[in-house]
Structures are given as C-alpha cells and as structure tokens.
Amino acid sequence: MSKVYVNEKSGSDSESAGSQESPYQTPAYALYKSPEAQILVYKQKEGSDEFEYAEISASALKKAKKGADGLAKKAQKQAKQAEEQKLRDQEAAKKLAELDLIKIVEDESLPKAKKIKLRSIQENVNQRVAVSGWVHRFRSQKGVAFITLRDGTGYLQTVLTGDLAKARITQELTLESTVIIKGVIEKLPEGKSAPGGVELKADYYEVCGLAPSGEDAFTNKVQEGADPSLLLDQRHLTLRGETLSSVMRVRAALLGYVRKFYEQEGILEVTPPCMVQSQVEGGSTLFKLDYYGEEAYMTQSSQLYLETCLPALGDVYCVQESFRAEKSHTRRHLSEYTHIEAELAFLTFDEMLDHLEKLFVTVVNNLLEDSVCGPLIKKLNPNFKPPTQPFKRMQYVEALEWLNEHGIPNEEGEKFKFGDDIAEAAERKMTDTLNVPILLTRFPVEIKSFYMKKCADDPRVTESVDVLMPNVGEITGGSMRIDDYDELMAAIKRENLDPAVYYWFTDLRKYGTCPHGGYGLGTERILAWLLDRYTVRDCSLYPRFTGRCKP
C-alpha cells in the first residue's frame, strides 16, 4: 500500500506531491488524491516534545473521508461548469463568426442625409438625417437595439433593426461610445415615449470611438452614490450626466439673460484685470503671487476698477472670476467663483435696491419662460417660486431683534448685540423661516468694507445691503460708496492701508466725484437657489475650494 504524508503546518494542498519531502496540508485532500493510500500525519509523539509521521487515527480518518467526498463533489461540479462554459464559449465564437459576416453598408439609393444637431430634430421630422454623438443609454433585445444619443444639444432615441442590430459592433457597443447614425426621424405612435416624442429609424450607422468595457467601463468610473471627492476627481466624466449638464445649461442661460438685462438698462460690459496690487475685501482672503518680482494678488472683486469707468463709460458691469482664500468648507463657499458686478452713478440707495429687485425678477422670469431652461428648472426644482417685487426689506437692527426673539444665538452662544456679524447659520435660519427674498440693509461700519458710505441719519451704520434667498442665504452684497475724498482717505488709513497704492481710486473723488453704488452677485449661489442644489460646488464647472485644484 502506498503512503501519503500530511503536515498541517508546512504542507500544501495545491502545490505538493504528498511525499515526506513535499507533504499535503490536510488529510481530506490526501484521501481525495489517493483513496487507497495509507495516510501518515505529522504529529507529536505521545509523552514527548518530538514530532513524527504516524498513521492517522480512526476518528480523523472518518472525518477526512467526509472531507474527501466533499472535494470530489466540488471537483465534479467544477468539471461540469467548465464543460458548460466551454460549450458557451464555442457557441459565442460561432455566433461572433456569423456576426463578422454582417457588413454595415450604406444604401446609396436613399436620399442624402442632412447633417443636423439634436436641437433641430423637431424641424426635421420625416426627413433623412445624419446625427452624431455619444451613446447615453443602450439596450439590445432579439432583433432590435435602442440607442439614446446625446450630442450636448439634446437627446434622441434611435432604433436599429435587421443587420444593424445583429452586427458584431452593435453587440459590443458600450456606453459613451461615439457614433454617427443616419435614418428618418418619425413621430412616435400614441402610448410610446422618447425624448421629444420622436425617434430615429436608422438605416446606417458607424462607430467613431468605442468606449472601454469591463473594469474601465464608464459605469465603473462614475458610480451613483460614490464619495463626492471621487466624483470630483472624475468631473470630466460626471459632467456628462443629465443633472450636472442641465445645471451648466441653465448657468449659461442665466449669464446670457443677465447680460440682456444690463443691455436693456444701458449698462456697459467691461473687463477688469484679475491680477491686482490692492485689496478690496480684507487682506486675510488674498491669494498672493510673484508678479515679475513684485507682490501681487488674485482679485477679490473688480469693484474698484468698475468705479474708475463711471466718468468715462457711465454705468458698467463685468462678469469676472474672483478669488477668495477663505479656508471655509461650507456648502456656499468657493475659492474661485464667477462674480457678476455692477457700478451705477448718480443714484440713491433706495434706487439701487429697486434696481436689484428688478434685476432678479426680470432675469428669473426670462429663465422660466425660456423653452429649454424653463423645463430644466421645473425638473430640478419643482417647488421653485419666482420672486416678485417688492422684496422684504429688513434693517440689520431688526434682524438682530428677530434672531433674539426666536432664540437664535450669536457665534459666542449669546444674544445678538449691535456690532455682531450675523454668521451663516443664523442668517440661513432666519431666511429659511421667513421663506422670502430679503434685502438686509444698514450694517454697522465696523463689520463692512472701508469704502461703504455711512447713513446720513445714523453714522454708526452704512448704506449697505445683502440680498438673502431661501435655502442659500446671501447671494448678493452691495452698498453706496464713499464719494467724499477726505472721508475715503480717513477710511483707508483706519484700515492701515497704504493710500499711495489707491491713488487711482481716490483720484475719482478729486476729479468730479458723484453719488454712486454697486454690488456683486455670486453666480454659483444664484444657481444653487434657483435649482435647489445642496452646494455651490454643483454649480461650478470645475469647483475650486480648500484642498481642491484638480482636475
């Protein structure tokens, strides 16, 4: 009788031969490999510290037989599965060989296909067209395949039948592959649905770029519910999703309607610099840079430059990036954001507040009436109610009273007192409770910027305003500007700023000063309010905030 050796510590069931020099690890495997062999197990000698190979005990042998039976059944099952897989592979290879015989060839007798973008599908019903784009959705069933195509201007359901559906390339088609499809656009029969109520009956198509499958498939790169930081790493791919692309589309329209409003109001667009050598909103939030050996900063605001344009160009505005080095992780802060700023000459504080109301109401109504953006806003924020004039107007001291009456403490956990800054959490609680747009006015001098004009009836406060919207809080800040030279110089010195650096700004008060005011709107915050986004990061193409400057 042959002998088989087992050593549970040094043996191996996968790589050993069962010899004394190369033992198995388990008796069950040894018995499975050699059913008739004598099993010798490495164990301690009775009454000694030494070890030796000795015949397996009866009870251990019984247990090993059960284990060997299990291994035999498992091996039979694996062999059966391997045979079945072999048959499937042969069948698949046969099928692919048959599919390789199918060639997709365009029928030259058909009318020439008109090349269009998907935004134009409604104007081309019953015409043969050529459309190009990315495979947004795909499903294949017996004899037919459906592609939802996306080209950035819209979506279109396309139907592949016959050889188009059977072809190997169709069977291997993946999400986000790029294709060119030709066919006739037809209205859908009643009871069926697709984007725009139409579908393309394809007669020819070709793949331009086949996206990866398997581990690198698009759905593995961008998974719903993934960690936000991972999704931000894949921002170039997540932008292809319907929600994020809808936000970007509304963003573009918002900026367009803002410009349209300013044009109708006779306000001129200018383009101030982003690299500056003077601060606007306090030194703690400046990004510094070496500018040819001189110290410079990324701009916090274009306000000061806009003011210089008033005598030459009249009322002006800009749409410009601003940069704030705030180490803040709140859902409404970004380190780089798109700043809509305007400066207006020869007006009163109340006239500026009226202007702000008109701006918001006009732009929002235009967006809601837009044939593309209106439905997107409705989809993303079904409960949105457009603002109407007049907005609620509340002074800073009235806000303190409201907060104290409702038991909302300041940042020290105490009752609010004059001079306290109203932090984001308290401001949001008040705004969300009142649930209406608020023009919060007349903030104390000490918590506002040096250039803000004091109120004539109370020099402790400024002619300043924050526009607060439900679910977001502050989306606009503005004020009348100091127009007296001596008063502005005193304010600059009070802030320990160098007057020489601001000579070009203070000159405005020397060479024909005038009453003027202005404001800045945060584009991303407006979108967060309009589209009910939890964070402004969802409203920026590639958001930049503390710790994030990629991709």
Side-chain angles (χ1 to χ4, degrees), residues 198-213:
V198 298
E199 65 182 9
L200 179 73
K201 294 291 180 64
D203 55 57
Y204 172 78
Y205 97 103
E206 60 186 85
V207 176
C208 302
L210 189 65
S213 58

Side-chain angles (χ1 to χ4, degrees), residues 206-307:
E206 60 186 85
V207 176
C208 302
L210 189 65
S213 58
E215 189 176 332
D216 287 332
F218 182 80
T219 48
N220 288 334
K221 287 283 188 179
V222 180
Q223 295 183 7
E224 191 174 341
D227 184 276
S229 63
L230 295 177
L231 292 177
L232 284 170
D233 289 340
Q234 302 298 327
R235 188 72 163 188
H236 60 296
L237 298 180
T238 59
L239 281 169
R240 303 181 185 199
E242 291 179 33
T243 298
L244 200 47
S245 62
S246 295
V247 172
M248 293 304 123
R249 196 169 296 284
V250 176
R251 178 190 170 104
L254 168 69
L255 293 175
Y257 283 121
V258 164
R259 285 187 163 98
K260 182 179 178 181
F261 172 83
Y262 285 136
E263 184 179 354
Q264 290 171 342
E265 294 291 308
I267 303 173
L268 189 71
E269 182 172 10
V270 294
T271 309
C274 279
M275 293 182 289
V276 302
Q277 288 188 306
S278 54
Q279 66 186 53
V280 181
E281 301 293 341
S284 63
T285 66
L286 286 167
F287 282 111
K288 292 183 181 180
L289 60 99
D290 183 337
Y291 188 74
Y292 302 109
E294 291 186 87
E295 191 174 80
Y297 315 102
M298 300 303 293
T299 186
Q300 302 161 312
S301 165
S302 299
Q303 174 205 319
L304 306 189
Y305 292 98
L306 291 178
E307 287 189 50

Side-chain angles (χ1 to χ4, degrees), residues 279-534:
Q279 66 186 53
V280 181
E281 301 293 341
S284 63
T285 66
L286 286 167
F287 282 111
K288 292 183 181 180
L289 60 99
D290 183 337
Y291 188 74
Y292 302 109
E294 291 186 87
E295 191 174 80
Y297 315 102
M298 300 303 293
T299 186
Q300 302 161 312
S301 165
S302 299
Q303 174 205 319
L304 306 189
Y305 292 98
L306 291 178
E307 287 189 50
T308 68
C309 296
L310 293 176
L313 303 171
D315 298 342
V316 289
Y317 79 95
C318 71
V319 179
Q320 184 77 288
E321 297 303 289
S322 283
F323 304 85
R324 301 281 173 92
E326 292 175 274
K327 293 183 179 178
S328 175
H329 290 276
T330 75
R331 54 185 169 133
R332 68 175 195 174
H333 280 92
L334 290 169
S335 298
E336 176 187 4
Y337 65 98
T338 303
H339 211 171
I340 302 166
E341 298 183 87
E343 288 293 319
L344 313 172
F346 295 104
L347 83 169
T348 66
F349 184 48
D350 283 334
E351 287 171 338
M352 189 177 77
L353 298 184
D354 292 339
H355 164 86
L356 277 170
E357 289 181 350
K358 185 179 179 182
L359 167 64
F360 277 105
V361 170
T362 304
V363 170
V364 170
N365 284 340
N366 283 337
L367 283 168
L368 292 174
E369 291 168 6
D370 186 279
S371 60
V372 174
C373 291
L376 292 179
I377 295 169
K378 185 69 177 173
K379 182 180 178 182
L380 294 173
N381 191 2
N383 299 318
F384 179 74
K385 293 180 181 178
T388 56
Q389 291 177 275
F391 290 5
K392 181 178 179 61
R393 300 194 181 189
M394 176 185 280
Q395 294 186 21
Y396 165 83
V397 290
E398 294 172 331
L400 297 191
E401 290 172 6
W402 190 96
L403 292 166
N404 289 334
E405 286 172 3
H406 289 78
I408 300 171
N410 63 14
E411 289 191 289
E412 283 73 46
E414 300 171 354
K415 280 194 169 189
F416 277 93
K417 59 186 181 300
F418 187 86
D420 285 346
D421 194 6
I422 302 175
E424 179 190 354
E427 178 187 88
R428 283 284 303 276
K429 199 151 192 176
M430 180 181 72
T431 309
D432 291 353
T433 302
L434 294 171
N435 200 33
V436 292
I438 300 170
L439 296 176
L440 189 58
T441 62
R442 293 168 65 98
F443 288 88
V445 172
E446 59 265 30
I447 63 172
K448 283 297 179 180
S449 298
F450 71 89
Y451 50 76
M452 293 190 178
K453 189 172 184 177
K454 295 176 183 176
C455 292
D457 62 340
D458 186 354
R460 299 179 307 154
V461 295
T462 54
E463 289 188 323
S464 53
V465 60
D466 282 353
V467 180
L468 312 180
M469 290 295 184
N471 299 322
V472 179
E474 180 197 345
I475 60 175
T476 304
S479 75
M480 296 299 289
R481 317 309 193 189
I482 295 174
D483 52 56
D484 179 79
Y485 177 83
D486 292 333
E487 186 181 348
L488 181 60
M489 289 297 289
I492 289 173
K493 290 174 182 175
R494 185 182 68 238
E495 296 294 322
N496 296 316
L497 300 173
D498 182 2
V501 173
Y502 292 89
Y503 75 93
W504 52 276
F505 181 62
T506 57
D507 269 1
L508 299 174
R509 279 72 179 170
K510 289 168 66 175
Y511 296 92
T513 191
C514 74
H516 64 285
Y519 54 85
L521 290 72
T523 302
E524 291 79 9
R525 289 189 185 182
I526 294 173
L527 286 165
W529 161 64
L530 191 64
L531 302 176
D532 192 27
R533 298 299 92 192
Y534 177 75

Side-chain angles (χ1 to χ4, degrees), residues 86-99:
K86 183 180 178 182
L87 291 172
R88 284 196 295 270
D89 290 344
Q90 289 173 348
E91 187 64 29
K94 182 182 176 184
K95 186 176 179 182
L96 286 176
E98 292 171 355
L99 294 176

